[in-house]
Amino acid sequence: MSAYFIAGTDTEIGKTFSTCALLHAARARGLRAVGMKPIAAGAEMVNGEFLNEDAARLRAAGSFDPGLALLNPYCLASPIAPHIAAAEEGVSIDPAKIDTAFQELRAQAELVLVEGVGGFRVPLGDDFDTADWAQHLGLPVILVVGMKLGCISHALLTAEAIQARGLRLAGWIANQVDPAMLRFEQNLEALTRRLPAPLLGVLPFRADHDAAAAASAAGLKLPD
């Protein structure tokens, strides 16, 4: 596949860090790879551009800079739930605009990683959420599991939701968001036995957010 949807078990569990790590792993294999953050909430003006931090990290990790209009079509100012931010800013999120940007990226790259927002079911409007959006794109899904207390239930429920939408769970990443997590190995083993997809890598906790180093240390791989 030339594209994957990156879903997470929750917000603040390292989707962007993991997506950047996957981009570095792809580039190490010689692939022309780019990340996409179609919807981002929380931004500030940087060098004349309204910029979200996650989008900036994806921009830096990719093989090339496609420009923010394609990488991040919807950049909302407030760091809150996107449907609330969009309503407050008078923005209507149009899937067609995201589709157009995605197809342009797909024409320019060998691999496009489309990062979701928050968990798997985050409202984007009155009758449209991130699960609808993932189903609309129809891409295989890579699930990022933030390794912390409660992650087993979150991961299994998210995997069920992905499959309920008729989407293929192509693989999952264990991201060590809590370096002090108790019984880490036992939790990892429980997830490995229960999730219906291969483990692509265990990303170590890095206070410096160096995704390239994390990808190398983890021996991170792309789905088959």
Side-chain angles (χ1 to χ4, degrees):
M1 294 295 295
S2 60
Y4 292 91
F5 185 86
I6 311 299
T9 50
D10 201 350
T11 192
E12 299 299 327
I13 50 81
K15 287 191 309 301
T16 300
F17 180 69
S18 300
T19 304
C20 288
L22 283 167
L23 288 171
H24 286 294
R27 292 174 63 185
R29 287 177 47 180
L31 295 174
R32 184 171 167 84
V34 68
M36 182 185 188
K37 181 84 172 180
I39 303 162
E44 59 184 20
M45 191 64 68
V46 178
N47 297 325
E49 292 182 305
F50 205 43
L51 186 64
N52 170 265
E53 183 180 1
D54 290 348
R57 289 179 177 174
L58 292 177
R59 191 184 203 181
S63 300
F64 63 97
D65 181 2
L68 290 176
L70 297 183
L71 189 152
N72 182 204
Y74 286 99
C75 186
L76 304 166
S78 298
I80 57 177
H83 74 291
I84 298 174
E88 289 182 354
E89 295 173 34
V91 173
S92 177
I93 297 173
D94 181 3
K97 181 177 178 179
I98 297 173
D99 285 348
T100 298
F102 170 65
Q103 294 302 335
E104 288 194 39
L105 287 177
R106 208 168 193 178
Q108 297 178 35
E110 295 172 281
L111 176 68
V112 182
L113 299 179
V114 182
E115 183 189 333
V117 55
F120 187 60
R121 291 209 62 184
V122 173
L124 300 176
D126 291 338
D127 56 0
F128 187 69
D129 65 20
T130 50
D132 296 320
W133 167 33
Q135 188 175 29
H136 171 73
L137 289 174
L139 301 177
V141 178
I142 296 173
L143 177 62
V144 178
V145 179
M147 298 299 292
K148 59 182 180 178
L149 185 63
C151 67
I152 296 175
S153 180
H154 289 165
L156 297 180
L157 287 170
T158 305
E160 285 185 5
I162 290 167
Q163 292 177 317
R165 294 283 178 149
L167 298 171
R168 180 171 72 90
L169 182 60
W172 65 284
I173 293 170
N175 184 33
Q176 289 186 282
V177 293
D178 179 5
M181 181 185 184
L182 297 176
R183 309 299 185 269
F184 173 84
E185 293 297 337
Q186 291 93 325
N187 278 267
L188 182 66
E189 191 273 336
L191 285 164
T192 302
R193 282 194 291 110
R194 289 170 172 82
L195 282 173
L199 174 61
L200 305 178
V202 179
L203 294 180
F205 175 81
R206 291 195 66 96
D208 61 4
H209 303 293
D210 189 334
S216 178
L220 189 64
K221 59 184 179 181
L222 298 172
D224 294 329

